[in-house]
Amino acid sequence: MKNIKIIKCKKCGRTLTFCYNKRNKSGIRVYKYACMGRYLGDKDIHESVSIMYKDLEEIVTTRLRSLMESIKNKGDAFIEDIISSIDIDSESKQLDVQKTKIESRLNVITKSMKKLYEDNVCGRITDDNYQILLTDFQKEQKELISKLEDLTTKSNKYKTQFDRIKEFRAVANKYLNFTELTNELVHSLIDHIEIDVNTIDNKKIKEINIIYRFIC
């Protein structure tokens, strides 16, 4: 995974630069990923953020192998675990309940408006009262339709997310027994990798966060 463009600085969002660091004792060049923000006028934003290429490669390889083992061992339960961890199923069901309530109320309003019109035509309600009640119904109807559209958009988003999780599992199945961390593998499964560095008690602590494709 040399010189790939998905390694990001968590502090400023810049893509980390793949660069030559130094030579080791054997005279072999050593590379790293580093954020150039400090050298481009962002010294006040964050301290130096970098990670040695070999360290990052080892971390990503270990995590991906752990993920592949989880997929192999859990099978379909892997998808269920992800859905549960981000609460897709629960949220989706709540949205469906809200949508059903609004749709039911809209049906009631439609019938009420029809009955109101008939009462006005038959003289059981004055034109003034008819207009007042009609305006109230139309206002509520408009508000409910707007809410229903928002809920439908959110519901479709969850359904899309569910499909994306299944797609991730399908792609991951191709690499269950990978032996080498190739750029193709990385780009197939990973959206981007965030690198952060913070100084705690005079020690630099690195944080590596992998955001996977389809389920980010």
Side-chain angles (χ1 to χ4, degrees), residues 52-199:
M52 300 306 296
Y53 162 69
K54 284 296 182 182
D55 292 341
L56 179 61
E57 183 180 49
E58 182 179 343
I59 291 169
V60 174
T61 298
T62 299
R63 293 189 187 178
L64 280 176
R65 281 184 176 149
S66 176
L67 178 65
M68 296 302 108
E69 284 300 314
S70 179
I71 294 175
K72 285 192 288 186
N73 294 334
K74 293 183 177 181
D76 290 339
F78 170 79
I79 296 177
E80 295 172 5
D81 285 350
I82 295 180
I83 291 173
S84 177
S85 68
I86 54 183
D87 212 17
I88 291 178
D89 196 41
S90 175
E91 291 287 346
S92 181
K93 287 179 180 177
Q94 290 181 25
L95 290 173
D96 287 341
V97 169
Q98 294 179 56
K99 285 172 60 182
T100 299
K101 288 182 178 179
I102 290 178
E103 288 168 347
S104 177
R105 178 57 185 164
L106 284 171
N107 286 333
V108 170
I109 290 175
T110 299
K111 292 177 181 179
S112 297
M113 290 171 69
K114 181 179 179 181
K115 178 66 166 54
L116 186 65
Y117 173 75
E118 293 173 349
D119 287 346
N120 178 246
V121 170
C122 295
R124 289 191 290 268
I125 183 174
T126 65
D127 290 343
D128 288 342
N129 286 337
Y130 167 76
Q131 194 59 52
I132 291 173
L133 293 171
L134 178 64
T135 300
D136 289 342
F137 277 134
Q138 289 175 331
K139 180 181 178 182
E140 183 182 3
Q141 184 185 51
K142 183 178 180 180
E143 291 173 350
L144 289 175
I145 289 175
S146 179
K147 288 181 180 179
L148 184 60
E149 290 175 348
D150 289 341
L151 290 173
T152 300
T153 299
K154 291 179 181 178
S155 180
N156 290 339
K157 180 180 178 181
Y158 280 117
K159 289 181 173 61
T160 299
Q161 197 168 8
F162 180 77
D163 291 338
R164 285 170 63 84
I165 293 171
K166 292 194 292 184
E167 188 175 355
F168 175 83
R169 194 260 177 100
V171 174
N173 282 340
K174 302 175 183 178
Y175 303 100
L176 292 180
N177 300 303
F178 78 92
T179 57
E180 181 183 359
L181 191 66
T182 63
N183 283 4
E184 177 190 344
L185 186 160
V186 171
H187 285 297
S188 295
L189 297 178
I190 297 175
D191 183 79
H192 65 280
I193 300 171
E194 293 178 339
I195 309 296
D196 197 7
V197 178
N198 293 291
T199 301

Side-chain angles (χ1 to χ4, degrees), residues 15-27:
T15 298
L16 268 61
T17 301
F18 185 73
C19 54
Y20 164 66
N21 184 50
K22 59 182 178 181
R23 292 183 184 272
N24 61 18
K25 293 180 179 179
S26 301

